[in-house]
Every structure is written in C-alpha cells, then in structure tokens.
mmCIF file of all heavy atoms in Angstrom:
data_model
loop_
_atom_site.group_PDB
_atom_site.id
_atom_site.type_symbol
_atom_site.label_atom_id
_atom_site.label_comp_id
_atom_site.label_asym_id
_atom_site.label_seq_id
_atom_site.Cartn_x
_atom_site.Cartn_y
_atom_site.Cartn_z
ATOM 1 N N ARG A 21 0.829 -1.207 0.026
ATOM 2 C CA ARG A 21 0.033 -0.017 0.042
ATOM 3 C C ARG A 21 0.841 1.262 0.076
ATOM 4 O O ARG A 21 0.569 2.245 -0.666
ATOM 5 C CB ARG A 21 -0.922 -0.023 1.125
ATOM 6 C CG ARG A 21 -1.992 -1.101 1.108
ATOM 7 C CD ARG A 21 -2.804 -1.158 2.403
ATOM 8 N NE ARG A 21 -3.622 -2.352 2.468
ATOM 9 C CZ ARG A 21 -4.920 -2.271 2.504
ATOM 10 N NH1 ARG A 21 -5.584 -1.112 2.532
ATOM 11 N NH2 ARG A 21 -5.663 -3.330 2.493
ATOM 12 N N TRP A 22 1.989 1.254 0.783
ATOM 13 C CA TRP A 22 2.916 2.381 0.877
ATOM 14 C C TRP A 22 3.496 2.564 -0.453
ATOM 15 O O TRP A 22 3.695 3.744 -0.927
ATOM 16 C CB TRP A 22 3.896 2.201 1.924
ATOM 17 C CG TRP A 22 3.521 2.401 3.260
ATOM 18 C CD1 TRP A 22 2.259 2.389 3.828
ATOM 19 C CD2 TRP A 22 4.375 2.742 4.365
ATOM 20 N NE1 TRP A 22 2.260 2.698 5.184
ATOM 21 C CE2 TRP A 22 3.597 2.848 5.550
ATOM 22 C CE3 TRP A 22 5.752 2.935 4.522
ATOM 23 C CZ2 TRP A 22 4.123 3.190 6.804
ATOM 24 C CZ3 TRP A 22 6.318 3.216 5.761
ATOM 25 C CH2 TRP A 22 5.502 3.349 6.851
ATOM 26 N N ALA A 23 3.845 1.503 -1.187
ATOM 27 C CA ALA A 23 4.511 1.676 -2.472
ATOM 28 C C ALA A 23 3.572 2.242 -3.556
ATOM 29 O O ALA A 23 4.045 2.779 -4.520
ATOM 30 C CB ALA A 23 4.999 0.272 -2.950
ATOM 31 N N ARG A 24 2.267 2.257 -3.296
ATOM 32 C CA ARG A 24 1.305 2.737 -4.288
ATOM 33 C C ARG A 24 0.978 4.211 -4.073
ATOM 34 O O ARG A 24 0.308 4.828 -4.902
ATOM 35 C CB ARG A 24 -0.023 1.889 -4.190
ATOM 36 C CG ARG A 24 0.122 0.550 -4.684
ATOM 37 C CD ARG A 24 -1.189 -0.180 -4.650
ATOM 38 N NE ARG A 24 -1.028 -1.565 -4.950
ATOM 39 C CZ ARG A 24 -1.797 -2.601 -4.411
ATOM 40 N NH1 ARG A 24 -2.687 -2.219 -3.467
ATOM 41 N NH2 ARG A 24 -1.611 -3.752 -4.719
ATOM 42 N N VAL A 25 1.448 4.786 -2.995
ATOM 43 C CA VAL A 25 1.068 6.199 -2.695
ATOM 44 C C VAL A 25 1.844 7.083 -3.678
ATOM 45 O O VAL A 25 2.861 6.662 -4.300
ATOM 46 C CB VAL A 25 1.481 6.591 -1.224
ATOM 47 C CG1 VAL A 25 0.605 5.833 -0.288
ATOM 48 C CG2 VAL A 25 2.860 6.595 -0.954
ATOM 49 N N ASP A 26 1.378 8.252 -3.874
ATOM 50 C CA ASP A 26 1.921 9.227 -4.794
ATOM 51 C C ASP A 26 3.299 9.668 -4.412
ATOM 52 O O ASP A 26 3.494 10.286 -3.335
ATOM 53 C CB ASP A 26 1.057 10.428 -4.893
ATOM 54 C CG ASP A 26 1.590 11.569 -5.774
ATOM 55 O OD1 ASP A 26 2.660 11.363 -6.438
ATOM 56 O OD2 ASP A 26 0.865 12.604 -5.908
ATOM 57 N N PRO A 27 4.396 9.262 -5.064
ATOM 58 C CA PRO A 27 5.837 9.596 -4.718
ATOM 59 C C PRO A 27 6.070 11.091 -4.694
ATOM 60 O O PRO A 27 7.002 11.490 -4.011
ATOM 61 C CB PRO A 27 6.702 8.807 -5.741
ATOM 62 C CG PRO A 27 5.752 8.535 -6.869
ATOM 63 C CD PRO A 27 4.346 8.528 -6.331
ATOM 64 N N GLU A 28 5.286 11.820 -5.368
ATOM 65 C CA GLU A 28 5.433 13.327 -5.343
ATOM 66 C C GLU A 28 4.963 13.891 -4.008
ATOM 67 O O GLU A 28 5.564 14.772 -3.426
ATOM 68 C CB GLU A 28 4.688 13.944 -6.530
ATOM 69 C CG GLU A 28 5.141 13.617 -7.928
ATOM 70 C CD GLU A 28 6.538 14.242 -8.160
ATOM 71 O OE1 GLU A 28 6.843 15.396 -7.778
ATOM 72 O OE2 GLU A 28 7.403 13.508 -8.800
ATOM 73 N N ARG A 29 3.910 13.312 -3.567
ATOM 74 C CA ARG A 29 3.321 13.882 -2.308
ATOM 75 C C ARG A 29 3.949 13.275 -1.022
ATOM 76 O O ARG A 29 4.054 13.846 -0.054
ATOM 77 C CB ARG A 29 1.769 13.610 -2.347
ATOM 78 C CG ARG A 29 1.157 14.139 -1.052
ATOM 79 C CD ARG A 29 -0.348 14.111 -1.164
ATOM 80 N NE ARG A 29 -0.898 14.691 0.006
ATOM 81 C CZ ARG A 29 -2.201 14.633 0.292
ATOM 82 N NH1 ARG A 29 -3.002 13.965 -0.456
ATOM 83 N NH2 ARG A 29 -2.604 15.097 1.501
ATOM 84 N N TYR A 30 4.343 11.921 -1.180
ATOM 85 C CA TYR A 30 4.868 11.210 -0.117
ATOM 86 C C TYR A 30 6.189 10.521 -0.421
ATOM 87 O O TYR A 30 6.376 9.319 -0.527
ATOM 88 C CB TYR A 30 3.895 10.081 0.349
ATOM 89 C CG TYR A 30 2.521 10.634 0.805
ATOM 90 C CD1 TYR A 30 1.412 10.446 -0.021
ATOM 91 C CD2 TYR A 30 2.351 11.131 2.071
ATOM 92 C CE1 TYR A 30 0.170 10.958 0.445
ATOM 93 C CE2 TYR A 30 1.108 11.536 2.462
ATOM 94 C CZ TYR A 30 0.065 11.454 1.598
ATOM 95 O OH TYR A 30 -1.204 11.902 2.098
ATOM 96 N N PRO A 31 7.189 11.305 -0.711
ATOM 97 C CA PRO A 31 8.520 10.757 -1.186
ATOM 98 C C PRO A 31 9.074 9.831 -0.147
ATOM 99 O O PRO A 31 9.658 8.737 -0.501
ATOM 100 C CB PRO A 31 9.356 11.950 -1.517
ATOM 101 C CG PRO A 31 8.719 13.088 -0.758
ATOM 102 C CD PRO A 31 7.281 12.750 -0.688
ATOM 103 N N PHE A 32 9.124 10.203 1.095
ATOM 104 C CA PHE A 32 9.742 9.340 2.120
ATOM 105 C C PHE A 32 8.998 8.040 2.258
ATOM 106 O O PHE A 32 9.582 6.940 2.289
ATOM 107 C CB PHE A 32 9.789 10.104 3.495
ATOM 108 C CG PHE A 32 10.326 9.176 4.571
ATOM 109 C CD1 PHE A 32 11.641 8.837 4.676
ATOM 110 C CD2 PHE A 32 9.381 8.531 5.414
ATOM 111 C CE1 PHE A 32 12.067 7.848 5.634
ATOM 112 C CE2 PHE A 32 9.836 7.670 6.427
ATOM 113 C CZ PHE A 32 11.174 7.364 6.481
ATOM 114 N N VAL A 33 7.651 8.133 2.455
ATOM 115 C CA VAL A 33 6.824 6.907 2.640
ATOM 116 C C VAL A 33 7.002 6.022 1.474
ATOM 117 O O VAL A 33 7.176 4.791 1.642
ATOM 118 C CB VAL A 33 5.382 7.290 2.889
ATOM 119 C CG1 VAL A 33 4.492 6.127 2.859
ATOM 120 C CG2 VAL A 33 5.217 8.087 4.205
ATOM 121 N N HIS A 34 6.956 6.567 0.249
ATOM 122 C CA HIS A 34 7.016 5.746 -0.923
ATOM 123 C C HIS A 34 8.500 5.043 -0.979
ATOM 124 O O HIS A 34 8.522 3.803 -1.167
ATOM 125 C CB HIS A 34 7.034 6.633 -2.194
ATOM 126 C CG HIS A 34 7.005 5.883 -3.497
ATOM 127 N ND1 HIS A 34 5.911 5.126 -3.906
ATOM 128 C CD2 HIS A 34 7.921 5.712 -4.398
ATOM 129 C CE1 HIS A 34 6.224 4.595 -5.041
ATOM 130 N NE2 HIS A 34 7.408 4.930 -5.397
ATOM 131 N N ALA A 35 9.530 5.665 -0.576
ATOM 132 C CA ALA A 35 10.868 5.102 -0.571
ATOM 133 C C ALA A 35 11.031 4.084 0.575
ATOM 134 O O ALA A 35 11.647 3.045 0.454
ATOM 135 C CB ALA A 35 11.961 6.180 -0.474
ATOM 136 N N ALA A 36 10.356 4.348 1.686
ATOM 137 C CA ALA A 36 10.412 3.455 2.856
ATOM 138 C C ALA A 36 9.700 2.201 2.712
ATOM 139 O O ALA A 36 9.895 1.234 3.491
ATOM 140 C CB ALA A 36 9.934 4.198 4.097
ATOM 141 N N ALA A 37 8.756 2.104 1.790
ATOM 142 C CA ALA A 37 7.959 0.968 1.573
ATOM 143 C C ALA A 37 8.845 -0.278 1.364
ATOM 144 O O ALA A 37 8.452 -1.390 1.857
ATOM 145 C CB ALA A 37 7.023 1.140 0.285
ATOM 146 N N ALA A 38 9.994 -0.076 0.718
ATOM 147 C CA ALA A 38 10.885 -1.334 0.457
ATOM 148 C C ALA A 38 11.371 -1.870 1.801
ATOM 149 O O ALA A 38 11.686 -3.074 1.845
ATOM 150 C CB ALA A 38 12.001 -0.920 -0.463
ATOM 151 N N ARG A 39 11.474 -1.075 2.795
ATOM 152 C CA ARG A 39 12.090 -1.536 4.134
ATOM 153 C C ARG A 39 10.951 -1.956 5.137
ATOM 154 O O ARG A 39 11.320 -2.578 6.106
ATOM 155 C CB ARG A 39 12.953 -0.514 4.703
ATOM 156 C CG ARG A 39 14.179 -0.237 3.809
ATOM 157 C CD ARG A 39 15.259 0.547 4.441
ATOM 158 N NE ARG A 39 15.713 -0.063 5.625
ATOM 159 C CZ ARG A 39 16.429 0.518 6.558
ATOM 160 N NH1 ARG A 39 16.819 1.770 6.361
ATOM 161 N NH2 ARG A 39 16.809 -0.062 7.683
ATOM 162 N N LEU A 40 9.785 -1.519 4.925
ATOM 163 C CA LEU A 40 8.720 -1.722 5.917
ATOM 164 C C LEU A 40 8.507 -3.244 6.222
ATOM 165 O O LEU A 40 8.429 -3.612 7.343
ATOM 166 C CB LEU A 40 7.425 -1.082 5.496
ATOM 167 C CG LEU A 40 6.241 -1.297 6.408
ATOM 168 C CD1 LEU A 40 6.495 -0.640 7.725
ATOM 169 C CD2 LEU A 40 5.032 -0.682 5.765
ATOM 170 N N GLY A 41 8.431 -4.027 5.149
ATOM 171 C CA GLY A 41 8.116 -5.456 5.283
ATOM 172 C C GLY A 41 9.179 -6.278 6.042
ATOM 173 O O GLY A 41 9.021 -7.219 6.588
ATOM 174 N N GLU A 42 10.464 -5.751 5.953
ATOM 175 C CA GLU A 42 11.577 -6.490 6.517
ATOM 176 C C GLU A 42 12.135 -5.912 7.821
ATOM 177 O O GLU A 42 13.013 -6.471 8.391
ATOM 178 C CB GLU A 42 12.661 -6.579 5.467
ATOM 179 C CG GLU A 42 13.295 -5.124 5.211
ATOM 180 C CD GLU A 42 14.247 -5.229 4.025
ATOM 181 O OE1 GLU A 42 13.954 -5.864 3.091
ATOM 182 O OE2 GLU A 42 15.236 -4.466 4.069
ATOM 183 N N HIS A 43 11.565 -4.807 8.310
ATOM 184 C CA HIS A 43 12.168 -4.228 9.501
ATOM 185 C C HIS A 43 11.917 -5.055 10.744
ATOM 186 O O HIS A 43 10.944 -5.790 10.858
ATOM 187 C CB HIS A 43 11.614 -2.771 9.676
ATOM 188 C CG HIS A 43 10.296 -2.624 10.411
ATOM 189 N ND1 HIS A 43 9.171 -2.927 9.731
ATOM 190 C CD2 HIS A 43 10.059 -2.346 11.661
ATOM 191 C CE1 HIS A 43 8.131 -2.682 10.684
ATOM 192 N NE2 HIS A 43 8.673 -2.374 11.785
ATOM 193 N N ASN A 44 12.794 -4.850 11.777
ATOM 194 C CA ASN A 44 12.712 -5.519 13.029
ATOM 195 C C ASN A 44 12.166 -4.500 14.046
ATOM 196 O O ASN A 44 12.837 -3.566 14.359
ATOM 197 C CB ASN A 44 14.009 -6.065 13.458
ATOM 198 C CG ASN A 44 14.033 -6.801 14.774
ATOM 199 O OD1 ASN A 44 13.583 -6.310 15.734
ATOM 200 N ND2 ASN A 44 14.504 -8.078 14.752
ATOM 201 N N ASP A 45 10.977 -4.770 14.634
ATOM 202 C CA ASP A 45 10.357 -3.792 15.593
ATOM 203 C C ASP A 45 11.261 -3.525 16.800
ATOM 204 O O ASP A 45 11.410 -2.462 17.292
ATOM 205 C CB ASP A 45 8.982 -4.284 16.077
ATOM 206 C CG ASP A 45 8.006 -4.279 14.922
ATOM 207 O OD1 ASP A 45 8.019 -3.402 14.028
ATOM 208 O OD2 ASP A 45 7.079 -5.184 14.901
ATOM 209 N N ARG A 46 11.793 -4.658 17.312
ATOM 210 C CA ARG A 46 12.646 -4.501 18.500
ATOM 211 C C ARG A 46 13.943 -3.698 18.272
ATOM 212 O O ARG A 46 14.293 -2.781 19.017
ATOM 213 C CB ARG A 46 13.089 -5.870 19.046
ATOM 214 C CG ARG A 46 13.682 -5.830 20.423
ATOM 215 C CD ARG A 46 13.810 -7.189 21.045
ATOM 216 N NE ARG A 46 12.433 -7.546 21.537
ATOM 217 C CZ ARG A 46 11.972 -8.811 21.738
ATOM 218 N NH1 ARG A 46 12.797 -9.799 21.513
ATOM 219 N NH2 ARG A 46 10.832 -8.976 22.118
ATOM 220 N N GLU A 47 14.522 -3.903 17.140
ATOM 221 C CA GLU A 47 15.721 -3.117 16.733
ATOM 222 C C GLU A 47 15.370 -1.660 16.447
ATOM 223 O O GLU A 47 16.131 -0.734 16.906
ATOM 224 C CB GLU A 47 16.410 -3.682 15.486
ATOM 225 C CG GLU A 47 17.205 -4.968 15.741
ATOM 226 C CD GLU A 47 17.774 -5.477 14.493
ATOM 227 O OE1 GLU A 47 17.760 -4.808 13.432
ATOM 228 O OE2 GLU A 47 18.260 -6.634 14.532
ATOM 229 N N GLN A 48 14.168 -1.389 15.904
ATOM 230 C CA GLN A 48 13.772 -0.061 15.638
ATOM 231 C C GLN A 48 13.441 0.619 16.953
ATOM 232 O O GLN A 48 13.814 1.782 17.098
ATOM 233 C CB GLN A 48 12.542 -0.070 14.702
ATOM 234 C CG GLN A 48 12.210 1.276 14.218
ATOM 235 C CD GLN A 48 11.061 1.200 13.178
ATOM 236 O OE1 GLN A 48 9.970 0.687 13.497
ATOM 237 N NE2 GLN A 48 11.273 1.707 11.999
ATOM 238 N N PHE A 49 12.828 -0.049 17.902
ATOM 239 C CA PHE A 49 12.544 0.516 19.232
ATOM 240 C C PHE A 49 13.892 0.840 19.897
ATOM 241 O O PHE A 49 14.044 1.945 20.454
ATOM 242 C CB PHE A 49 11.702 -0.465 19.959
ATOM 243 C CG PHE A 49 11.682 -0.173 21.456
ATOM 244 C CD1 PHE A 49 10.814 0.959 21.887
ATOM 245 C CD2 PHE A 49 12.406 -0.761 22.415
ATOM 246 C CE1 PHE A 49 10.736 1.284 23.204
ATOM 247 C CE2 PHE A 49 12.421 -0.356 23.727
ATOM 248 C CZ PHE A 49 11.566 0.638 24.174
ATOM 249 N N ALA A 50 14.755 -0.118 19.920
ATOM 250 C CA ALA A 50 16.092 0.063 20.625
ATOM 251 C C ALA A 50 16.806 1.233 19.923
ATOM 252 O O ALA A 50 17.515 2.054 20.648
ATOM 253 C CB ALA A 50 16.951 -1.200 20.512
ATOM 254 N N PHE A 51 16.759 1.410 18.665
ATOM 255 C CA PHE A 51 17.329 2.530 17.935
ATOM 256 C C PHE A 51 16.776 3.881 18.453
ATOM 257 O O PHE A 51 17.521 4.842 18.695
ATOM 258 C CB PHE A 51 17.126 2.435 16.416
ATOM 259 C CG PHE A 51 17.820 3.446 15.666
ATOM 260 C CD1 PHE A 51 19.177 3.489 15.424
ATOM 261 C CD2 PHE A 51 17.072 4.502 15.084
ATOM 262 C CE1 PHE A 51 19.830 4.476 14.779
ATOM 263 C CE2 PHE A 51 17.704 5.546 14.407
ATOM 264 C CZ PHE A 51 19.106 5.515 14.227
ATOM 265 N N GLY A 52 15.485 3.881 18.680
ATOM 266 C CA GLY A 52 14.844 5.120 19.263
ATOM 267 C C GLY A 52 15.447 5.439 20.629
ATOM 268 O O GLY A 52 15.711 6.635 20.941
ATOM 269 N N VAL A 53 15.621 4.409 21.470
ATOM 270 C CA VAL A 53 16.197 4.681 22.753
ATOM 271 C C VAL A 53 17.649 5.213 22.555
ATOM 272 O O VAL A 53 18.104 6.101 23.302
ATOM 273 C CB VAL A 53 16.163 3.353 23.691
ATOM 274 C CG1 VAL A 53 16.933 3.551 24.961
ATOM 275 C CG2 VAL A 53 14.742 2.960 23.946
ATOM 276 N N ASP A 54 18.426 4.599 21.638
ATOM 277 C CA ASP A 54 19.757 5.033 21.363
ATOM 278 C C ASP A 54 19.796 6.472 20.928
ATOM 279 O O ASP A 54 20.672 7.221 21.308
ATOM 280 C CB ASP A 54 20.401 4.180 20.351
ATOM 281 C CG ASP A 54 20.823 2.776 20.850
ATOM 282 O OD1 ASP A 54 20.781 2.570 22.088
ATOM 283 O OD2 ASP A 54 21.097 1.943 20.029
ATOM 284 N N VAL A 55 18.860 6.854 20.060
ATOM 285 C CA VAL A 55 18.812 8.230 19.564
ATOM 286 C C VAL A 55 18.552 9.194 20.755
ATOM 287 O O VAL A 55 19.207 10.257 20.835
ATOM 288 C CB VAL A 55 17.645 8.443 18.415
ATOM 289 C CG1 VAL A 55 17.369 9.916 18.304
ATOM 290 C CG2 VAL A 55 18.057 7.710 17.253
ATOM 291 N N PHE A 56 17.661 8.845 21.680
ATOM 292 C CA PHE A 56 17.447 9.585 22.814
ATOM 293 C C PHE A 56 18.660 9.736 23.697
ATOM 294 O O PHE A 56 19.122 10.867 24.056
ATOM 295 C CB PHE A 56 16.296 8.976 23.692
ATOM 296 C CG PHE A 56 16.115 9.614 25.021
ATOM 297 C CD1 PHE A 56 15.320 10.687 25.124
ATOM 298 C CD2 PHE A 56 16.778 9.036 26.144
ATOM 299 C CE1 PHE A 56 15.213 11.336 26.356
ATOM 300 C CE2 PHE A 56 16.557 9.656 27.377
ATOM 301 C CZ PHE A 56 15.822 10.848 27.539
ATOM 302 N N LEU A 57 19.357 8.638 23.937
ATOM 303 C CA LEU A 57 20.580 8.617 24.760
ATOM 304 C C LEU A 57 21.731 9.449 24.051
ATOM 305 O O LEU A 57 22.430 10.219 24.723
ATOM 306 C CB LEU A 57 21.081 7.268 25.089
ATOM 307 C CG LEU A 57 20.129 6.441 25.952
ATOM 308 C CD1 LEU A 57 20.634 4.979 26.026
ATOM 309 C CD2 LEU A 57 19.983 7.062 27.257
ATOM 310 N N ALA A 58 21.737 9.371 22.703
ATOM 311 C CA ALA A 58 22.738 10.153 21.989
ATOM 312 C C ALA A 58 22.435 11.605 22.100
ATOM 313 O O ALA A 58 23.270 12.446 22.239
ATOM 314 C CB ALA A 58 22.744 9.705 20.532
ATOM 315 N N GLY A 59 21.164 11.969 22.077
ATOM 316 C CA GLY A 59 20.755 13.350 22.283
ATOM 317 C C GLY A 59 21.133 13.853 23.646
ATOM 318 O O GLY A 59 21.640 14.965 23.772
ATOM 319 N N ILE A 60 20.938 13.124 24.675
ATOM 320 C CA ILE A 60 21.348 13.446 26.040
ATOM 321 C C ILE A 60 22.874 13.674 26.061
ATOM 322 O O ILE A 60 23.322 14.614 26.604
ATOM 323 C CB ILE A 60 20.883 12.408 27.038
ATOM 324 C CG1 ILE A 60 19.378 12.465 27.234
ATOM 325 C CG2 ILE A 60 21.640 12.585 28.380
ATOM 326 C CD1 ILE A 60 18.810 13.701 27.843
#
C-alpha cells in the first residue's frame, strides 16, 4: 500500500515501503532509545 502512494506527495513513505516489510520492531525501538541517549 505504501509503495502505491503518490511519490510526489509522499516521497519518504514511498521510498520506505521497500524496508517496511523487513524491519525488526525490537531493533527499531532500541534505535529510538539510542537516539534519545545520543541526544542526552
């Protein structure tokens, strides 16, 4: 569905569609914690 969106209006979402199906929720969550800690 993301791959079908208008790439002009949603360039990031359209490009991210290729990674959505294979991403790891736990790694993505841990990355968010790391971003927070890096900001601190």
Side-chain angles (χ1 to χ4, degrees):
R21 292 170 189 246
W22 281 23
R24 290 183 189 144
V25 300
D26 179 2
E28 296 290 321
R29 183 170 181 190
Y30 300 103
F32 173 77
V33 171
H34 185 77
R39 296 194 56 197
L40 179 62
E42 65 190 38
H43 84 281
N44 180 306
D45 293 328
R46 188 167 286 157
E47 285 179 9
Q48 192 175 55
F49 168 77
F51 183 77
V53 173
D54 287 346
V55 167
F56 172 82
L57 294 174
I60 290 293

